[in-house]
Amino acid sequence: MTVNDSKVCGGLPAVGFPSPTSEGGRPVTSPAAGNGNDSDLNNPGSNGNYWSSSPNSDNSNNAWNLNFNSSNFNRNNNNRYNGQSVRPVRVLAAATADDASHRLLEDLYCAYLAARRHKRGKWYQVGFEMRQEHELVKLRDELLERRYAARPSSCFIIHDPKMREVFAAEFRDRVVHHLFYNYTHKLFERTFIADCYSCIEGRGTHYGVERLKKHIRSCSQNWSKPCYVLKLDIKGYFMSINRARLLVRCREILLKQRRKYTEDADGFAIKDTKSAKERDWELVDYLLESICMLNPVENCRVIGDMSEWRLLPKEKSLFHSKPGCGLPIGNLSSQLFSNVYLGAFDEFMKREMKCRHYGRYVDDAFVVASTKEELYDIVPKARSFLREALELELNEKKVLVVDAYKGVEFLGAYVKPYRTYPARRSLKRMRGRMKALDWSEHPNRIQARVNSMLGVLSHYDCWHMRKLLVWETNLRQFGKVTDDCLRFYPDKLQLRLQRNGGIR
């Protein structure tokens, strides 16, 4: 029996075993789930037996099997009774029969890897990982049979950087969100303007600040002429998004992209027959409707004291949203949808209002112009479009026209002529986090946390602020700080004494 004859179903992690290939030539990996011996399970995690789908012709009780461990593999002819505790290949053989089913399982595994990033120590991720094969196969079957239903979310209040209501989906639902994101985000991003930031690779907060600086320099001819900035903010944005309108807009975009679609691997992961394409586009539409039209408040689990919600403004809570409105903050899909929904506003500002110097990060937008009158004339038109086309309202308290020469605050930065500082609120929050560091933790964790905060400050012209921050938090007491105050190297002996109460 050759490796290819075993028909092992792949898409799952291998442990110390070179990957075989399936009949279609696709690489196949197999979990090391141990091997059976009567009622015992031997060497799970490092050893496994995978059996041929048919018994040996010489002895119906025997079958060829592939035995592998962390260093080698070999072919055996054993009694199939010894493999009872390891699921036979026959159970998963059907997955390879349908290429679409096999491809979906692979896509789900890629989505799972993305969902678990920075979550490896969380209890819900560990629980899912312990039964990941079963959960991913179950998710695949539910999606293929259109039986998938999201489980109730967990709702809680956070206070950093400010008070917000968060709805956290279960981990299995996050895997589905990542699956949908992997399928569609490049299709949606093709329709975004260049000055749309957030949830786009390479277009984060620092990129947004640099674009604002570029627009100001361009409008003011490198700070030689008057320049003003209009700041716009939407009131309770995530809680006011109309899900039905969002669904219609998403379908319009995907339909246009589908018409343009050929076989661009960057656009969509389908390269086979027309029927396979049709099935996958139907799956995308099914995922879109399942995620977009979900009411996160329904059957949600509230974590914490309900009295906290009394301190939260009603426009910032999904519990007070209009029927059919609101997306949960915290889901990857919500971040993508937030850009899609306001894409119409971006097109209005760029094409109808002819705002050359315009940019937006989620619900925070800016327009740069050479006169105040031009900016004041934009406000009522923007207000009218948001209200009529998107059912959104401007936050009048945050609609401001500021002189660029006096400084503009945007995305945690304070932009002034020829220099950029961190905003006071950002610096205050960073100072509080550094003072609250637990020096009894492992030095490597402390070093990573401190250097991440100092690294953020490296994007600003603030050497004196960094020096003051190092002095106020007594960093030099626990290690070495470079002269530019951008790197911290902990003294491991000093930290060990700190953990042991001064005892060596």
Side-chain angles (χ1 to χ4, degrees), residues 344-345 348 352 380-391:
F345 181 66
F348 170 78
E352 296 190 30
K381 297 176 182 178
R383 181 188 297 116
S384 177
F385 178 84
L386 288 171
R387 183 177 298 161
E388 295 173 7
L390 301 176
E391 299 184 18

Side-chain angles (χ1 to χ4, degrees), residues 72-293:
N72 59 68
F73 63 94
N74 56 76
R75 186 180 61 177
N76 296 319
N77 179 24
N78 289 329
N79 193 313
R80 289 186 294 167
Y81 180 69
N82 290 331
Q84 62 176 352
S85 59
V86 182
R87 186 169 63 191
V89 175
R90 184 188 298 273
V91 178
L92 284 180
T96 59
D98 185 352
D99 191 58
S101 174
H102 180 64
R103 184 171 56 246
L104 178 57
L105 188 61
E106 289 180 337
D107 294 342
L108 277 168
Y109 182 65
C110 292
Y112 159 70
L113 293 180
R116 77 177 188 180
R117 287 187 63 201
H118 311 301
K119 300 288 188 297
R120 296 303 300 273
K122 302 293 185 180
W123 64 268
Y124 50 80
Q125 189 278 327
V126 174
F128 188 94
E129 186 168 8
M130 291 176 65
R131 57 185 189 280
Q132 63 169 325
E133 181 182 354
H134 169 76
E135 290 288 351
L136 293 178
V137 171
K138 184 179 178 182
L139 266 178
R140 180 205 62 191
D141 295 341
E142 289 180 5
L143 292 174
L144 287 176
E145 298 170 11
R146 306 298 189 259
R147 294 185 292 104
Y148 168 75
R151 294 177 181 174
S153 302
S154 299
C155 176
F156 53 90
I157 298 287
I158 63 172
H159 298 272
D160 188 18
K162 57 184 179 181
M163 196 173 187
R164 289 184 184 276
E165 176 189 74
V166 176
F167 281 79
E170 281 210 13
F171 188 79
R172 72 187 298 270
D173 297 322
R174 299 184 201 182
V175 173
V176 176
H177 296 165
H178 278 271
L179 177 71
F180 175 77
Y181 178 84
N182 292 342
Y183 277 159
T184 61
H185 76 100
K186 289 188 178 180
L187 298 176
F188 286 126
E189 288 169 12
R190 291 173 181 175
T191 66
F192 297 162
I193 64 173
D195 280 287
C196 173
Y197 327 123
S198 170
C199 199
I200 304 173
E201 186 176 359
R203 295 201 229 167
T205 55
H206 297 307
Y207 177 84
V209 173
E210 290 301 318
R211 290 293 295 175
L212 172 62
K213 291 161 64 176
K214 182 177 180 179
H215 284 300
I216 292 177
R217 288 195 303 268
S218 176
C219 185
S220 64
Q221 296 186 14
N222 201 21
W223 300 99
S224 63
K225 291 187 176 181
C227 184
Y228 301 91
V229 180
L230 167 65
K231 297 178 64 178
L232 300 172
D233 185 83
I234 297 175
K235 186 176 182 180
Y237 174 51
F238 279 91
M239 288 67 190
S240 304
I241 294 176
N242 186 299
R243 294 193 290 270
R245 283 178 180 262
L246 173 63
L247 179 62
V248 171
R249 177 163 178 80
C250 288
R251 280 178 168 161
E252 289 176 353
I253 293 174
L254 290 177
L255 181 60
K256 290 180 181 178
Q257 293 299 317
R258 180 180 178 179
R259 289 170 179 168
K260 296 178 182 178
Y261 175 78
T262 55
E263 284 189 358
D264 184 359
D266 290 336
F268 203 69
I270 306 173
K271 303 177 185 177
D272 297 324
T273 64
K274 181 178 180 180
S275 60
K277 291 181 184 179
E278 294 295 334
R279 285 201 301 270
D280 282 320
W281 280 107
E282 290 174 4
L283 174 62
V284 169
D285 187 72
Y286 173 73
L287 288 172
L288 171 64
E289 184 170 359
S290 299
I291 297 172
C292 183
M293 298 306 293

